[in-house]
Amino acid sequence: MAAFLRLAYFSASRLTSQWDIVCLVEQSRLHNARNGISGLLLHEDGAFLQFIEGEKAVVETLYRKILRDPRHSYVTQICNQETDARLFGEWPLAFLGRVEYAQASQSPHREVLDSLKQAYRDAEPPAREVIGGFF
């Protein structure tokens, strides 16, 4: 039996400034650290792609909260898989935007990108298409 749930979704962002995104990331990191959640948030051109990992009930509760969050619209789940290991276990919420992606050869961005590549390899074809086309 798998110990964790990895869920990923794509959504349109209703945030209008970089400051709003920074605040969302910091707030989410605190929440995730308290609740044993790890993950990755990608942001580009008004869109989010997020991976959430943790205990199944905790991840599902967080996803329901995201569905009601007015900062997101058109939330579409692209991955929901049970797994024995976390890909983003060291990060309560790793973040990559265009700037961080451009610096992917530098640590810690390189490690985050390596985990994203593994998530891509593990994903079903529809999720791969979203992940692969995000940047």
Side-chain angles (χ1 to χ4, degrees):
M1 180 173 208
F4 303 108
L5 177 64
R6 181 178 308 128
L7 185 146
Y9 71 88
F10 176 78
S11 72
S13 168
R14 292 189 175 164
L15 300 179
T16 57
S17 73
Q18 190 64 28
W19 178 250
D20 291 336
I21 294 166
V22 167
C23 291
L24 171 69
V25 169
E26 290 306 313
Q27 176 187 22
S28 298
R29 284 178 174 156
L30 292 172
H31 172 271
N32 291 358
R34 283 192 307 266
N35 291 284
I37 294 172
S38 57
L40 168 66
L41 178 66
L42 303 173
H43 181 264
E44 179 60 28
D45 291 333
F48 287 122
L49 174 61
Q50 182 172 14
F51 288 86
I52 307 165
E53 300 174 319
E55 292 181 17
K56 183 177 182 176
V58 176
V59 170
E60 289 173 341
T61 298
L62 177 57
Y63 183 65
R64 285 191 299 274
K65 181 178 174 185
I66 290 166
L67 289 171
R68 296 186 308 271
D69 190 325
R71 296 173 289 192
H72 299 274
S73 59
Y74 306 106
V75 179
T76 304
Q77 189 177 123
I78 62 168
C79 173
N80 186 327
Q81 66 188 108
E82 293 185 8
T83 180
D84 292 324
R86 295 177 187 241
L87 290 177
F88 307 102
E90 296 185 26
W91 304 290
L93 185 63
F95 175 77
L96 285 176
R98 169 84 48 201
V99 171
E100 294 82 6
Y101 188 77
Q103 299 169 346
S105 64
Q106 301 171 18
S107 185
H109 306 303
R110 181 181 54 239
E111 291 86 0
V112 173
L113 192 57
D114 287 345
S115 294
L116 178 60
K117 288 177 184 176
Q118 185 60 50
Y120 173 84
R121 287 190 290 268
D122 292 349
E124 296 294 322
R128 281 187 191 162
E129 186 175 325
V130 173
I131 297 165
F134 201 78
F135 287 111

